[in-house]
Amino acid sequence: MESLTQHKVQRYEEFVDRRLKPDLQHAIDERDKIFEQQKIFTDLRRNIENLEKNSITSLRTLVNLGSEVYLQAEVTNTQRIFVDVGLGFHVEFTWSEALNYIQKREERIAKKIDEYNQLIASIKAQIKLVLEGIRELLQLPAEKSLPERSF
Amino acid sequence: MEDTRRGTVTSLASLFPVEEAQKAANRVQDAIAEKRAELDHLLRFVADNNNLINLVHKLPEELSHEIMVPFGKAAFFPGRLIHTNEFLVLLGEGYYAERTSKQTAEILGRRGKALDSQVDSLEAMIKDLQAEANFFSQTITEAAEGLVEIREDYIEKDSHKEEIKSGPLKQHTSDLEKTEADNEEYARIVARMDELEKEELAAESGIDNEKDEQTTEDVGDISYQRPVGSKPHNSEDFHKSTPPVDQANNKSIATGSAEKHDNPDIADQLNFASLDLQSNVGEGKNAAAKKVKFVDHRKPLTHHEEKTVKATTASKSEVQHQPSQPSFNSHKAFTGSIVEHTENLKTLNGQSSSSTSSQVSGSRPSKPVSRFKMQRR
């Protein structure tokens, strides 16, 4: 009996370590990537709004040539902006169009983040479940949710 | 020979267990892979750097360039590169320097050199790791095959003559007997040493010459050995003969010397053996005598035939060499020359028949030179 229990416990633990934990890690990484994208678009939106607010027509920037070597660049007409819409395409927008697009984009990103959040939560729940099972097998006292609380 | 020496046989597999060696090899492989990845990284930097240098050279050719100016990570503006000769270079820690194209190219060139040296060091490390990996894989195959490492102590002197008994000097009775009676002989040797000393003193002058030739080899190696004793060779015998110790001694010596001729190793052994004796006695003579004995014991197998032959010759030579020995002595620490050959000779001849200490004792009275002994002591 003991050995059987041991065996089970071991299998559960392995499952947790091999499947669930990496899954969790993976999901978290993906979510972080999405966070980054979200940040990018948020910043872009803010910049464009800024441009619009101050009616900036031209600006000077420093362009990174690589290895942190910068060269001055001048933008004469800021009315047209090319936005990356994925799959290697950039679409020429005016400010308002660009803002519109960015808005929609942001919504999509937020939805994705939600999905990932749910996935992560479910994986965490599964891990907890398996650990509980192991505890039961080992008949360790249940840690939390002790109903008896004498107040 | 049996094991006079204590030897250890260790299987390589025990020293380097196969699994562990395997694990170590894997670890090394992983390390190599890591380094390789870093190397790739660095090489990419180097390539980028070179490209940048080209670009920096080309840009000032035009006043301005039409480009798409990035605006954040996801948007571009169509624009122009202006001031194409002014480059802002990051020096690190938030410090920038505005430089011309040529100066920027120089900076980048220096950066490239630093990268190259890094690449070189990384490659060297990879090589070392590979050598290590090779060693491990080799050990693994060897251990798998069951190679064993045999280690034996080098026994210089034979305090355990018994061990050597295995190689009996069949032909020479006296010598052969001795090997078997090593232990006893050892005890006797100590007793004889004193006598030998006396005898040596007497016969030193005569024997030295001969001994020198033979013993030089041995003696040379072992400085502390007594001049006389250093050579188990016939010459030594003479030395010993001068203190006409036991015939046995002579014979043993002879055999020893015989051995020595055959094997320089034996000589060494003899030397060492003699050293032990010598230390006790402090005189070359004794050492020689003792050495021979040891030698006999040590390698009875290989040399017994020769020994036997030589023993006989040795004894003979002893007689003959005695007069010529004094030169030999000079090489050894033994300073005096053994003068009284004749006496020794007689004793030797008489004693050759008997191989035990009795001979020694017999020879003792014939030695007049106690004063040498005192000097040497």
Side-chain angles (χ1 to χ4, degrees), chain A residues 36 40-41 44 47-48 51 59-63 65-85 90 95, chain B residues 48-49 52 55-56 59 67-90 96 98 104 108 111:
Chain A
E36 268 185 47
I40 289 173
F41 276 105
L44 186 58
N47 280 337
I48 294 178
L51 284 183
L59 54 100
R60 281 235 186 127
T61 64
L62 285 171
V63 178
L65 298 179
S67 305
E68 306 293 320
V69 174
Y70 294 90
L71 201 52
Q72 283 184 49
E74 190 183 26
V75 179
T76 45
N77 187 12
T78 59
Q79 292 295 335
R80 281 133 177 267
I81 188 166
F82 287 75
V83 182
D84 174 19
V85 295
H90 293 71
W95 284 346
Chain B
D48 284 348
N49 208 33
L52 194 56
L55 189 65
V56 162
L59 279 179
I67 60 163
M68 290 293 273
V69 182
F71 192 63
K73 290 254 176 68
F76 292 94
F77 277 116
R80 283 201 338 244
L81 278 179
I82 56 172
H83 298 173
T84 48
N85 204 28
E86 298 169 15
F87 292 88
L88 198 64
V89 188
L90 173 69
Y96 289 82
E98 193 149 4
T104 311
L108 292 176
R111 269 193 210 167

Side-chain angles (χ1 to χ4, degrees), chain B residues 124-180:
Chain B
M125 276 174 65
I126 288 183
K127 249 204 266 187
D128 288 344
L129 283 175
Q130 270 177 344
E132 218 180 303
N134 282 348
F135 166 72
F136 277 126
S137 58
Q138 238 182 9
T139 331
I140 288 175
T141 48
E142 283 176 1
E145 287 170 11
L147 268 186
V148 289
E149 180 184 342
I150 303 176
R151 214 173 260 227
E152 291 181 346
D153 294 340
Y154 180 52
I155 302 182
E156 318 171 350
K157 63 150 189 153
D158 268 24
S159 44
H160 321 278
K161 297 191 198 155
E162 310 127 5
E163 302 172 343
I164 306 184
K165 289 184 204 163
S166 59
L169 307 173
K170 312 159 195 164
Q171 306 180 6
H172 283 275
T173 55
S174 59
D175 297 329
L176 296 176
E177 294 169 12
K178 276 194 205 158
T179 54
E180 300 168 31

Side-chain angles (χ1 to χ4, degrees), chain B residues 308-319:
Chain B
T308 54
V309 175
K310 290 200 179 171
T312 45
T313 52
S315 45
K316 292 177 193 171
S317 54
E318 289 175 13
V319 181

Side-chain angles (χ1 to χ4, degrees), chain B residues 16 36 38 42 54 68 90 103 172 193 314 316-317 326 344:
Chain B
F16 305 109
R36 282 251 165 81
E38 284 183 30
L42 278 182
N54 290 338
M68 290 293 273
L90 173 69
Q103 292 160 335
H172 283 275
M193 293 204 342
K316 292 177 193 171
S317 54
N344 299 334

